[in-house]
Amino acid sequence: MTTPHPSPTAAGSGSSATEAFRAGRSATGGPAVAPERVSAVVSSLLSGIHQTIRSESVTYDEFQAAKQFLIEVGEGGEWPLLLDVFVEHVVEDVAARAQEGTKGSILGPYYLPGQVRLESPATLPQRPDEKGTRLVFSGEVRATDGTPLPGAELDIWHADDEGYYSGFAPHLPEGNLRGVVVADERGRFEISTILPSPYQIPTDGPTGALIEAAGWHPWRPAHLHLLVRADGHRTITTQLYFAGGEWLDSDVASATKPELILEPVDQGDGTSVVRYDFTLEPA
Ligand code: DHB
Ligand code: FE
């Protein structure tokens, strides 16, 4: 099949993701990590690597291949992709030990702050000929004690019908399928958009080459990304998936959870409808 536009490259997505990451950090890079933590965490990390070298009898050839791989990940700006796909889910698991409310999931590399604010009911910005099944996604945002949270914000972004994210694929208009939807005076929201397609890690860069070399697959199941915010409450970073979707049981980023799977109902007119409520704990 031919597509009317060139596929985004790993280097393009990677360097945009690196830029977005840098832009999201304060000038000082955030709070300093205490020397004892640096020492404890890095010692443990290195001992895991040393242990792997011994138990797998890693050869010089393999060590040099690893060095070359790491150099290429850096050159391609692919660190945000690689770390978010293979590592972030465990950081999220650890953070979740102390959290109540709606289950979280990884942020991933493609969040862009500062998107258009839209009062609910809202339609996400999209091309006039945006392809894909229409999706109407509604629900309520409440506190863990059940109180509705008026004016809660749902910062939502997702891939298009071809699995590409605006801001990272040059053929897509800026802000496409991204927005900050403001819930009404009873914490209710309704968002009209399209169903995203599964996302494939770009296969032309080092992360793709690693996946290929290991005989794994590069797919994430279709998903919506959300940050749900309300004054005085902890912001939820999460993703929602679709029942029956491909790759749900083998997400390359290991970021699915049974509580985060939507079951949209086809209305018979090309539109799918689904409800999902969010629960936020006091900050
Ligand atoms: C990656 C991309 C995503 O869309 C996502 O949700 C998580 C990870 C990645 O390419 O690393
Ligand atoms: Fe994603």
Side-chain angles (χ1 to χ4, degrees), residues 116-123 151 180-185 188 190:
V116 64
R117 267 175 80 85
L118 304 160
E119 297 290 326
S120 175
T123 300
V180 180
V181 177
V182 183
D184 71 11
E185 68 293 341
R188 296 173 308 187
E190 183 183 296

Side-chain angles (χ1 to χ4, degrees), residues 111-112 115 153-157 179-181 225-227 229:
Y111 174 62
L112 292 173
Q115 301 303 314
E153 290 180 359
L154 298 103
D155 197 339
I156 180 169
W157 69 105
V180 180
V181 177
H225 286 271
L226 287 128
L227 295 178
R229 293 184 276 266

Side-chain angles (χ1 to χ4, degrees), residues 252-265:
V252 66
S254 312
T256 65
K257 296 185 184 180
E259 299 87 346
L260 299 177
I261 299 176
L262 301 174
E263 295 196 32
V265 177

Side-chain angles (χ1 to χ4, degrees), residues 165 220 223 225:
Y165 285 88
R220 297 214 61 220
H223 55 279
H225 286 271

Side-chain angles (χ1 to χ4, degrees), residues 4-282:
H5 54 76
S7 290
T9 60
S13 305
S15 58
S16 304
T18 299
E19 245 175 73
F21 174 77
R22 287 214 172 107
R25 306 272 294 165
S26 70
T28 57
V33 179
E36 312 82 70
R37 285 290 290 163
V38 175
S39 176
V41 173
V42 176
S43 297
S44 176
L45 179 65
L46 289 174
S47 91
I49 294 172
H50 301 159
Q51 164 62 27
T52 302
I53 293 168
R54 290 184 209 284
S55 65
E56 293 295 328
S57 304
V58 170
T59 64
Y60 254 99
D61 277 350
E62 289 165 341
F63 175 57
Q64 302 300 11
K67 239 190 233 181
Q68 185 176 333
F69 170 74
L70 294 173
I71 290 168
E72 284 168 11
V73 170
E75 283 174 349
E78 273 200 48
W79 279 114
L81 273 61
L82 185 87
L83 290 173
D84 292 358
V85 88
F86 291 128
V87 180
E88 190 187 351
H89 69 97
V90 188
V91 182
E92 197 283 323
D93 256 7
V94 169
R97 288 177 189 161
Q99 295 172 349
E100 278 186 76
T102 299
K103 295 281 182 210
S105 184
I106 65 173
L107 176 69
Y110 297 148
Y111 174 62
L112 292 173
Q115 301 303 314
V116 64
R117 267 175 80 85
L118 304 160
E119 297 290 326
S120 175
T123 300
L124 293 190
Q126 51 193 271
R127 292 162 287 180
D129 57 348
E130 192 71 45
K131 288 208 286 308
T133 304
R134 304 282 116 197
L135 173 70
V136 180
F137 165 44
S138 63
E140 279 177 35
V141 185
R142 295 190 217 101
T144 39
D145 69 1
T147 318
L149 296 171
E153 290 180 359
L154 298 103
D155 197 339
I156 180 169
W157 69 105
H158 66 83
D160 71 2
D161 186 55
E162 294 185 308
Y164 297 130
Y165 285 88
S166 64
F168 299 88
H171 66 283
L172 294 176
E174 245 180 72
N176 207 57
L177 303 175
R178 295 174 180 270
V180 180
V181 177
V182 183
D184 71 11
E185 68 293 341
R186 283 168 53 191
R188 296 173 308 187
F189 65 89
E190 183 183 296
I191 302 170
S192 296
T193 183
I194 54 127
L195 282 169
S197 285
Y199 163 86
Q200 184 182 21
I201 305 254
T203 47
D204 63 322
T207 308
L210 168 68
I211 288 169
E212 164 112 346
W216 303 333
H217 77 68
W219 291 94
R220 297 214 61 220
H223 55 279
L224 304 174
H225 286 271
L226 287 128
L227 295 178
V228 185
R229 293 184 276 266
D231 286 346
H233 292 77
R234 178 178 63 78
T235 297
I236 304 267
T237 302
T238 196
Q239 299 187 26
L240 296 171
Y241 304 90
F242 301 94
E246 236 182 326
W247 318 110
L248 257 187
D249 298 325
S250 64
D251 179 7
V252 66
S254 312
T256 65
K257 296 185 184 180
E259 299 87 346
L260 299 177
I261 299 176
L262 301 174
E263 295 196 32
V265 177
D266 184 347
Q267 299 301 96
D269 62 352
T271 303
S272 282
V273 168
V274 74
R275 271 194 64 101
Y276 193 86
D277 296 334
F278 295 93
T279 315
L280 271 55
E281 65 178 335

